[in-house]
């Protein structure tokens, strides 16, 4: 194994880049702008320029670089073919092959950004003691990734790890972003928690400080109030925990992972959230799966560059 | 690869054994009794005796045998450790190592019987054109197996593929065999279909031939009546299809498999069942997973010996 590798996490606004020792030590990280105009035709060459500049600055020769891992905001097949990245303006092509040909023929591996972040957490974050983890990212939406034997499960169309679109509620009338109704994302994302809070307020006369926030209430407000003992906020957290915990039980019945790792903005609620979810999980899961660990993610926004590096060196 | 291998499927009453060419041709199959007395201490030596006798009968030398695969009715870890087989009277030990030491040091691989049957279907049955399948076995209970990249996903405690214990109904008041409430098995197994039928009859005055069967009605009766156009029976099949199809949607959101393979006694209802399930699946699954194939299993009770052989030669 050569001494260095790069991890690249491409978003719609910025590209995060990390220079790593192949052992997993992050030496330096920086960002460049994502130029999405003209179908994102500059994105890969901008990345190459930035990597070349870094190698020159640090006086690292190409011979010392194992390769470049890259995470992308769209479905990516195991061979590095990206099916479509709407946010980047890209269609379908083999991004691993293309970037390799543009960057001195070095080894390049590509993956979906959520899956790659899961790999990062499995490598150096909340899941680093486990081979088989399921990561669930609670952000604006709910995403995730499945890591088995230390490798990403990609799925046939790159659609594995779309945990936010597990069906959890037959009664839902509002349509999810995916076009279906009753997806986990509609209750366990930041907007999902707000939806549950709003519904709770409309359905009850219960005194709760949540009312003071009105329509501006955020998921963070709900969790802060719940921690402070507000009964209504705790009822909302419990609902959210029910949806998430039962989804985890269903995942466990299929995969029996060693650990679940919970990340994303909503997970800033910390151990309080983990406890709420873990209780439901323990009550509803198949007995053999009851000892799965449930941990917070640890790498935050850096999970993507760690995971991209892991594509190369893990 | 040597020319022959054995596939052994151990049940609580009989042990099914197949002699295969390593290419997957089943040359001969037979059964021996499972002697479970004295903590099942004879089971492995009975198997060895039977294999030795077959080799002698067919004039096959040990040098021509690649190994022995064995499926067992309990959780089995990747290294061949069986955690407990209540039906065999066994506790925890490494069955692969033990059988190998008893059978001339040949390679032995072990797996859970439902997972091994899934591997058999993936190798030579309904899933033979696919690398990544999820098998769902609708029998007295609901079992299954997850095959990714042609290999069994075992899970941390050997608990992967327990699809029957996915949680699908919050309202259930009857306890499942696993101790929880609202498991898929409670609606999609043979007894589950009967449960749905009984509830349908109790809840409605609708005229249906199901009434004529009374408490003796079977899942087969329900499907036969549904095929013949009975409205009530079709309503029951639709309910069962809803539970199963939505579970498949949730599995797809996590794993995005190429194909689902439906087996077990209930699947004798054939394409009629597949169509009922497929419709719900297509309506409820995440869009990227919509093109997953849904097929009937093909190997019936032989899936276990095929899968056991596949543990060795696939």
């Amino acid at each position: 194994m050569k001494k260095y590798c790069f991890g690249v996490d491409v978003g719609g606004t910025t590209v995060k880049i990390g220079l790593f020792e192949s052992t997993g030590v992050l030496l330096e990280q920086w960002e460049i702008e994502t130029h999405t105009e003209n179908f994102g035709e500059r994105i890969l060459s901008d990345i190459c320029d930035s990597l070349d500049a870094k190698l020159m600055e640090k006086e690292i020769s190409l011979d010392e670089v194992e390769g470049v891992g890259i995470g992308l905001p769209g479905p990516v097949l195991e061979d590095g073919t990206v099916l479509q990245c709407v946010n980047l303006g890209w269609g379908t092509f083999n991004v691993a092959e293309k970037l390799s040909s543009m960057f001195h023929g070095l080894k390049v591996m590509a993956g979906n950004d959520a899956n790659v972040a899961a790999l990062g957490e499995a490598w150096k974050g909340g899941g680093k003691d486990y081979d088989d983890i399921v990561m669930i990212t609670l952000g604006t939406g709910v995403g995730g990734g499945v890591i088995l034997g230390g490798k990403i499960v990609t799925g046939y169309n790159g659609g594995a790890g779309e945990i936010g679109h597990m069906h959890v509620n037959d009664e839902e009338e509002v349509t999810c972003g995916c076009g279906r109704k009753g997806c986990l994302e509609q209750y366990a994302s930041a907007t999902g928690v707000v939806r549950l809070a709003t519904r709770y307020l409309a359905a009850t006369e219960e005194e709760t400080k949540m009312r003071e926030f009105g329509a501006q209430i955020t998921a963070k407000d709900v969790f802060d109030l719940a921690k402070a003992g507000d009964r209504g906020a705790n009822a909302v957290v419990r609902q959210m925990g029910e949806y998430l915990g039962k989804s985890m039980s269903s995942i466990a019945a299929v995969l029996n992972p060693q650990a679940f790792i919970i990340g994303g903005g909503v997970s800033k609620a910390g151990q309080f959230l983990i406890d709420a979810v873990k209780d439901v999980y323990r009550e509803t899961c198949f007995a053999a799966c009851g000892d799965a660990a449930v941990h917070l993610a640890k790498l935050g926004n850096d999970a993507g560059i760690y995971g991209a590096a892991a594509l190369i060196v893990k």
Side-chain angles (χ1 to χ4, degrees), chain A:
Chain A
M1 182 76 71
K2 292 168 187 172
K3 190 169 179 191
Y4 301 103
C5 66
F6 287 107
V8 180
D9 181 15
V10 182
T13 314
T14 61
V15 180
K16 296 187 180 67
I17 307 178
L19 170 65
F20 289 83
E21 284 185 2
S22 295
T23 54
V25 177
L26 175 59
L27 299 173
E28 205 162 317
Q29 65 184 118
W30 67 100
E31 294 185 7
I32 61 174
E33 200 179 332
T34 308
H35 288 283
T36 55
E37 60 273 16
N38 294 325
F39 304 103
E41 63 177 11
R42 273 183 56 183
I43 295 173
L44 290 181
S45 57
D46 286 350
I47 291 169
C48 291
D49 291 347
S50 183
L51 299 183
D52 275 327
K54 185 58 65 177
L55 291 178
M56 187 164 294
E57 175 201 326
K58 308 292 279 187
E59 296 182 348
I60 295 171
S61 88
L62 277 175
D63 297 344
E64 297 175 278
V65 181
E66 185 67 23
V68 180
I70 183 166
L72 297 159
V76 181
L77 303 184
E78 245 173 288
D79 72 350
T81 299
V82 53
L83 294 183
Q84 211 185 28
C85 284
V86 180
N87 293 346
L88 306 183
W90 288 2
T92 297
F93 66 102
N94 191 311
V95 69
E97 280 177 11
K98 182 151 187 203
L99 182 56
S100 175
S101 74
M102 293 169 70
F103 193 63
H104 318 290
L106 253 63
K107 181 179 168 190
V108 174
M109 303 281 283
N112 164 267
D113 54 4
N115 292 350
V116 166
L119 184 64
E121 287 290 341
W123 189 37
K124 295 290 172 187
K128 80 175 166 45
D129 300 322
Y130 310 103
D131 284 332
D132 301 346
I133 69 155
V134 173
M135 165 119 182
I136 307 178
T137 307
L138 311 172
T140 316
V142 171
V146 178
I147 310 295
L148 295 184
K151 302 284 175 197
I152 291 171
V153 175
T154 304
Y156 181 45
N157 299 317
E162 288 286 357
I163 290 162
H165 300 289
M166 292 178 76
H167 179 84
V168 297
N169 183 4
D170 287 339
E171 315 298 328
E172 185 57 60
E173 290 177 359
V174 174
T175 302
C176 177
C178 77
R180 317 286 173 175
K181 289 173 182 174
C183 293
L184 175 63
E185 176 165 302
Q186 293 184 278
Y187 316 101
S189 62
T191 47
V193 173
V194 170
R195 170 180 290 119
L196 291 175
T198 309
R199 287 181 180 177
Y200 177 87
L201 292 173
T204 158
E205 297 291 310
E206 185 96 26
E207 199 179 313
T208 158
K209 290 210 169 116
M210 289 194 294
R211 284 196 207 284
E212 296 168 18
F213 291 83
Q216 307 308 315
I217 197 163
T218 66
K220 182 177 185 307
D221 298 330
V222 174
F223 277 99
D224 286 347
L225 289 173
K227 287 178 194 175
D230 185 277
R231 233 168 83 173
N234 272 294
V236 170
V237 168
R238 196 155 47 240
Q239 281 183 348
M240 183 266 203
E242 294 260 323
Y243 285 117
L244 185 52
K246 285 182 186 170
S247 298
M248 287 162 52
S249 290
S250 283
I251 294 171
V254 180
L255 290 178
N256 184 203
Q258 283 173 288
F260 290 93
I261 308 299
I262 314 285
V266 176
S267 76
K268 289 184 182 156
Q271 193 59 36
F272 185 80
L273 166 67
I274 299 295
D275 291 342
V277 170
K278 203 153 52 172
D279 287 350
V280 179
Y281 175 71
R282 299 271 185 263
E283 284 160 24
T284 54
C285 74
F286 187 62
C289 309
D291 61 352
V294 185
H295 293 308
L296 287 168
K298 285 190 176 161
L299 300 177
N301 291 332
D302 295 344
I305 54 173
Y306 273 94
L311 285 174
I312 293 295
V313 297
K314 190 165 183 270

